[in-house]
Amino acid sequence: MAATLDDYEVIATIGTGSYGTCKKIRRKKDGKIMVWKEMEYGSMSENEKQMLVSEVNLLRELRHQHIVRYHDRIIDRNKTIIYIIMEYCQGGDLASIIARHRKDGTHVPEDFAWKILIQTTLALKECHRRKNGKAVLHRDLKPANVFLDMDSNVKLGDFGLARVLHHETSFAQTYVGTPYYMSPELVNNMSYNEKSDIWALGCMLYELCALTPPFTASNQSELNRKIRIGDFPRLPPQYSMELDMMIRKLIQVEVAKRPSIGSVLADALIQSKMKILN
Ligand SMILES: CN(C)CCCNS(=O)(=O)c1cccc(Nc2nc(OCC3CCCCC3)c3[nH]cnc3n2)c1
C-alpha cells in the first residue's frame, strides 16, 4: 500500500535547502517523527527526472547506521512535487553546532571531534563501497549535510540530491554557497574522486575544531590559490597534536599522498579511539 500525504501530518518547517523545503512530520499510524524533503520537479526535463528517479533509488539502497535512513517517497502529480521521507535527526546539523560555538566563543570537545571523524568516515566507506559498480560519491560533504541523532551519532544526509541539483534548469545551479571544501584536483578541473571526499572530510573536521574553514578568501580565485598551496593554521591550542596531524593527513594537496577511507580507518590511533566509542 503506497504511502499518501494524509498518512502524515506536518509539524514544522525545519528549513529550506538548495533543492526545496525540509519539514518535520509525524506519521499518523504510530506517531513516529520523521522529515520529508519537498522537491518541485515540474521544471525538470525528462532526463533530469530520470536522474531524480535513479538518485532516489540509490538513496533507498543505502542502509547504514551513519547515513540518514530513507523511508519512502510520495509523488503529487498535480503539484509536480516529490516528497522524500527520511529519518529525523534530533541533534540538528553540524553547521548549526559550529555557528553556536562561534557565537559563544567556545570549542567542541576533542572527543566529539574524533567521534565525528570516525563516524563520518564509516558513512563515506559505505558510500564508496561499489554499489553494483557505481560508487555513490558524496560530492557535497559539508557541516550542513552532517546531522546528529539524539545521542550525537553522525547521520550523513542529503547526498545524491546534490547531484540532481546540478541540472541546468534549477536555481540551485547558481552557486548558493562558497565551495570552501573544493579539493585541489577539482580546482585544477581534474575529475572528482573518492579522495576528494577525504579532502572535504579533513576540511570539515578542521572547521568543526577551528570554527572556520582551513582556506578562506573573499573571491574564488584567491580561494583556489590558497587551496592549491594547501597551507593553513594549526588547530587552536586546546586540541592535541595527534588530531592536528590526522587532519593534516586528510587535507593533503597531493591526491596520492592523501589517505584512502580504508587507511584512515586502519590508523592505529583511530582504531584505539573506535574502541572507546563503541
Ligand atoms: C540550515 N541550518 C544551519 C539550520 C536550519 C535548521 N536547523 S538544523 O540544524 O538543520 C535542524 C534542527 C533540528 C532538527 C534537524 N533535523 C533534520 N534536519 C534535516 O535537514 C535539515 C534541512 C537541510 C537542508 C537545509 C535546511 C535544513 C534532515 N534531513 C534528514 N533528516 C533530517 N533531520 C535539523
Side-chain angles (χ1 to χ4, degrees), residues 1 19 30 33 45 52 70 73 97 110 116 118 121 127 129 136 152-153 161 165 170 180 198 201 211 225 248 266:
M1 168 71 171
Y19 48 76
D30 59 2
I33 302 293
S45 68
L52 180 58
Y70 163 98
R73 59 165 169 66
I97 289 170
E110 172 145 341
I116 300 301
I118 290 166
T121 306
C127 299
R129 199 166 52 84
V136 183
S152 290
N153 290 309
L161 298 177
L165 289 175
S170 83
Y180 289 111
I198 292 287
L201 176 64
L211 306 177
R225 195 182 61 77
R248 280 178 194 283

Side-chain angles (χ1 to χ4, degrees), residues 14-22 24 34-35 37 68-69 86-97 99 144-145 147-148 157-158:
I14 294 180
T16 302
S18 42
Y19 48 76
T21 304
C22 177
K24 187 175 176 181
M34 308 166 94
V35 303
K37 303 209 163 175
V68 169
R69 176 59 60 82
M86 304 174 171
E87 82 178 286
Y88 172 68
C89 303
Q90 193 162 354
D93 72 335
L94 285 189
S96 303
I97 289 170
N145 284 342
F147 301 100
L148 299 177
D158 278 359

Side-chain angles (χ1 to χ4, degrees), residues 249-263:
K249 279 183 197 164
L250 305 177
I251 310 178
Q252 172 76 246
V253 171
E254 284 182 67
V255 180
K257 283 189 182 168
R258 215 177 294 160
S260 65
I261 296 261
S263 52

Side-chain angles (χ1 to χ4, degrees), residues 211-230:
L211 306 177
T212 174
F215 311 105
T216 57
S218 49
N219 61 67
Q220 188 65 52
S221 53
E222 175 62 11
L223 181 62
N224 289 353
R225 195 182 61 77
K226 288 189 174 181
I227 289 170
R228 282 197 190 97
I229 294 168

Side-chain angles (χ1 to χ4, degrees), residues 96-111:
S96 303
I97 289 170
I98 291 168
R100 191 166 53 247
H101 280 283
R102 213 193 339 248
K103 183 168 67 66
D104 299 348
T106 54
H107 285 278
V108 307
E110 172 145 341
D111 287 350

